[in-house]
């Protein structure tokens, strides 16, 4: 049941989660009722379906997990919703449609299923809504290595999928072939120095996409320039301060997530200790760097031994690109206001998720005097980690995946971070 991906659709009306068991759960936002004006914003289960089953790769004698790595919604067409889901190897396109149960089942038959005498039918019972989820396409055999990201293009016709060494471009209507647009696999695998960690299409320009690497760099590519985008248009990387160099430098500089801003002007990246905002017009360094949990610098050795240092945290923009969010340990998540430069640490817990509960800011102290509600860095629970987060595209509603719990928080006050 461990949640492995969270994604709002383009309106924010629907929220999808995928888990390690290959299941997708879709939540729908309830409309505001006259009797309960504060009810709007609550999400209820809309549909649940099994997206992936365990597979077996006979060529490599490997079992392929059913875990859902990513979900991406397609822009809504007519009344139907569509989404892509992927495990390590196989991408599937699902169509979600609503229809009312036909009335005769309720109103024209008795409890035993026999037809009633129509003259005795005096009232009609309300019809139940049925949500049907059907697989429309299966995109298989496109990747040798594990798929780490999928991204739908703004042309609404194509999407890309990325693994450690290659990025493929697919047409949504064609399942049996894809076009390889990035290939960083060296002729000799012993020469391999970096892998692709994430990729995303630009939100407005269908020819542009970015991919990040384990060396902390971002490459912006233009598909109009060449069919194979091995030569990037722009390379974004920050030179490392030699005085900070350590055994862990390369590991903690690996970019685990990259997201374009809604405006398309900026990119947000997450590495192990920081989130950074990059301007597409400035390659030399990020324009903003925020420390997520700088107090862990002294703990890198034990984090390496426990493999936590390889955790892949995601990041998210709010709808106006003014606030960014990312996760941390101890079920903490962080928000940074780009305008006021204020930041806050909040906790996703059962206590804080009671209806109308107000989230209290949390503080981690490294040593010295502790305030009453502070938590010591030595008391942090590293098994509780917020890796997956999502922000409603227009409102201050956030979804936080904490292991096998999904928390949805809504800001009732105003658009600032409270």
């Amino acid at each position: 049941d461990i949640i492995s991906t969270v994604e709002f659709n383009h309106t924010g009306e629907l929220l999808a989660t995928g888990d390690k068991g290959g299941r997708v759960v879709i939540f729908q936002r309830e409309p505001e009722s006259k009797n309960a004006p504060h009810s709007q914003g609550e999400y209820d289960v809309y549909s649940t379906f099994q997206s992936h089953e365990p597979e077996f790769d006979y060529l490599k004698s490997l079992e392929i997990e059913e875990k859902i790595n990513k979900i991406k919604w397609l822009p809504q067409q007519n009344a139907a919703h569509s989404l892509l889901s992927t495990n390590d190897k196989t991408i599937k396109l699902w169509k979600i449609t609503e229809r009312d149960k036909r009335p005769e089942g309720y109103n024209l038959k008795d409890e035993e299923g026999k037809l009633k005498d129509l003259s005795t039918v005096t009232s009609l019972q309300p019809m139940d809504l049925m949500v049907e989820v059907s697989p429309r396409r299966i995109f298989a055999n496109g990747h040798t290595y594990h798929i780490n990201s999928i991204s739908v293009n703004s042309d609404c016709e194509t999407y890309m999928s990325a693994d450690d060494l290659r990025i493929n471009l697919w047409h949504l209507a064609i399942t049996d072939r894809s076009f390889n647009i990035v290939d960083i696999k060296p002729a000799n695998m012993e020469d391999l120095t970096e892998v692709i960690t994430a990729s995303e299409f630009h939100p407005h320009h269908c020819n542009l996409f970015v991919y990040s690497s384990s060396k902390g760099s971002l490459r912006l590519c233009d598909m109009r320039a060449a069919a194979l985008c091995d030569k990037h248009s722009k390379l974004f990387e920050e030179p490392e301060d030699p005085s900070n160099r350590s055994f862990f430098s390369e590991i903690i500089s690996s970019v685990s997530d990259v997201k374009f801003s809604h405006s398309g002007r900026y990119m947000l990246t997450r590495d192990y200790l920081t989130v950074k905002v990059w301007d597409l017009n400035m390659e030399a360094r990020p324009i903003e760097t925020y420390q997520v949990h700088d107090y862990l610098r002294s703990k890198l050795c034990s984090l390496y031994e426990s493999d936590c240092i390889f955790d892949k945290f995601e990041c998210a923009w709010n709808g106006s690109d003014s606030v960014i969010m990312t996760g941390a340990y101890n079920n903490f998540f962080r928000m940074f206001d780009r305008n006021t430069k204020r930041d806050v640490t909040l906790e996703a817990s059962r206590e804080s998720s009671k209806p109308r509960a107000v989230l209290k800011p949390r503080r981690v102290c490294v040593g010295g005097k502790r305030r009453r509600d502070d938590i010591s860095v030595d008391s942090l629970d590293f098994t509780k980690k917020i890796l997956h987060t999502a922000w409603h595209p227009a409102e201050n509603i956030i979804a936080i995946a904490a292991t096998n719990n999904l928390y949805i928080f809504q800001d009732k006050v105003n658009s600032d971070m409270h």
Side-chain angles (χ1 to χ4, degrees), residues 252-347:
I252 64 173
S253 66
S254 175
V255 174
S256 54
D257 196 19
V258 58
K259 294 267 172 45
F260 277 107
S261 62
H262 296 82
S263 68
R265 169 76 186 267
Y266 305 103
M267 296 180 294
L268 176 64
T269 61
R270 172 70 203 263
D271 56 43
Y272 191 65
L273 294 177
T274 67
V275 276
K276 295 172 180 173
V277 177
W278 301 78
D279 187 320
L280 257 65
N281 300 322
M282 193 169 95
E283 298 169 65
R285 61 181 184 277
I287 56 168
E288 297 158 34
T289 298
Y290 301 97
Q291 300 295 333
V292 177
H293 38 207
D294 204 43
Y295 46 77
L296 294 184
R297 276 189 197 276
S298 62
K299 304 248 173 234
L300 292 178
C301 201
S302 59
L303 290 163
Y304 176 77
E305 287 168 2
S306 65
D307 278 352
C308 285
I309 202 167
F310 301 107
D311 285 334
K312 293 176 170 54
F313 292 95
E314 293 172 7
C315 50
W317 296 91
N318 73 339
S320 62
D321 299 334
S322 61
V323 183
I324 55 183
M325 170 176 64
T326 191
Y329 292 106
N330 211 70
N331 276 4
F332 289 170
F333 58 98
R334 302 270 283 135
M335 289 185 173
F336 303 92
D337 188 311
R338 299 181 58 213
N339 298 325
T340 65
K341 302 303 176 193
R342 284 170 52 207
D343 66 275
V344 67
T345 301
L346 300 169
E347 182 181 5

Side-chain angles (χ1 to χ4, degrees), residues 403-415:
T403 321
N404 56 349
N405 294 311
L406 177 71
Y407 295 95
I408 298 172
F409 299 113
Q410 180 170 18
D411 182 357
K412 289 287 188 187
V413 190
N414 56 35
S415 61

Side-chain angles (χ1 to χ4, degrees), residues 119-335:
S119 61
T120 65
V121 178
T122 55
S123 63
L124 294 177
Q125 296 178 30
M127 293 181 286
D128 280 355
L129 188 70
M130 283 181 67
V131 179
E132 289 189 340
V133 180
S134 51
R136 302 314 290 249
R137 312 245 193 293
I138 295 176
F139 305 87
N141 308 319
H143 289 274
T144 308
Y145 306 96
H146 291 176
I147 298 169
N148 57 44
S149 40
I150 47 176
S151 179
V152 180
N153 200 346
S154 60
D155 64 11
C156 300
E157 291 184 356
T158 56
Y159 76 92
M160 68 178 174
S161 56
D163 65 28
D164 284 355
L165 300 178
R166 295 191 180 102
I167 300 176
N168 291 337
L169 182 69
W170 302 80
H171 193 285
L172 282 159
I174 300 167
T175 59
D176 60 351
R177 65 183 181 275
S178 60
F179 191 73
N180 181 230
I181 51 175
V182 172
D183 187 347
I184 65 165
K185 185 179 179 183
N188 183 351
M189 282 296 272
E190 288 179 6
D191 298 332
L192 183 68
T193 58
E194 65 181 329
V195 295
I196 298 165
T197 54
S199 67
E200 189 176 63
F201 269 119
H202 190 279
H204 312 305
H205 301 300
C206 61
N207 53 297
L208 293 179
F209 68 93
V210 67
Y211 70 92
S212 58
S213 91
S214 56
K215 279 195 164 176
S217 59
L218 303 170
R219 290 174 175 86
L220 186 73
C221 301
D222 187 342
M223 292 193 292
R224 293 177 305 187
L228 190 64
C229 299
D230 282 0
K231 292 186 171 63
H232 47 269
S233 303
K234 290 186 176 183
L235 175 66
F236 301 81
E237 60 185 355
E238 187 174 25
E240 191 193 5
D241 180 352
S243 63
N244 287 338
R245 182 95 191 135
S246 77
F247 169 76
F248 304 110
S249 294
E250 197 163 300
I251 301 171
I252 64 173
S253 66
S254 175
V255 174
S256 54
D257 196 19
V258 58
K259 294 267 172 45
F260 277 107
S261 62
H262 296 82
S263 68
R265 169 76 186 267
Y266 305 103
M267 296 180 294
L268 176 64
T269 61
R270 172 70 203 263
D271 56 43
Y272 191 65
L273 294 177
T274 67
V275 276
K276 295 172 180 173
V277 177
W278 301 78
D279 187 320
L280 257 65
N281 300 322
M282 193 169 95
E283 298 169 65
R285 61 181 184 277
I287 56 168
E288 297 158 34
T289 298
Y290 301 97
Q291 300 295 333
V292 177
H293 38 207
D294 204 43
Y295 46 77
L296 294 184
R297 276 189 197 276
S298 62
K299 304 248 173 234
L300 292 178
C301 201
S302 59
L303 290 163
Y304 176 77
E305 287 168 2
S306 65
D307 278 352
C308 285
I309 202 167
F310 301 107
D311 285 334
K312 293 176 170 54
F313 292 95
E314 293 172 7
C315 50
W317 296 91
N318 73 339
S320 62
D321 299 334
S322 61
V323 183
I324 55 183
M325 170 176 64
T326 191
Y329 292 106
N330 211 70
N331 276 4
F332 289 170
F333 58 98
R334 302 270 283 135
M335 289 185 173

Side-chain angles (χ1 to χ4, degrees), residues 6 13 17 19 28 111 154 205 234 276-277 310 380:
V6 189
E13 177 206 359
T17 66
D19 67 23
Q28 183 180 42
E111 290 175 0
S154 60
H205 301 300
K234 290 186 176 183
K276 295 172 180 173
V277 177
F310 301 107
L380 294 173

Side-chain angles (χ1 to χ4, degrees), residues 81-95:
H81 298 278
S82 299
L83 62 79
L84 290 167
S85 63
T86 184
N87 67 349
D88 285 342
K89 295 289 182 186
T90 305
I91 305 156
K92 297 184 180 183
L93 174 65
W94 300 89
K95 188 176 182 183

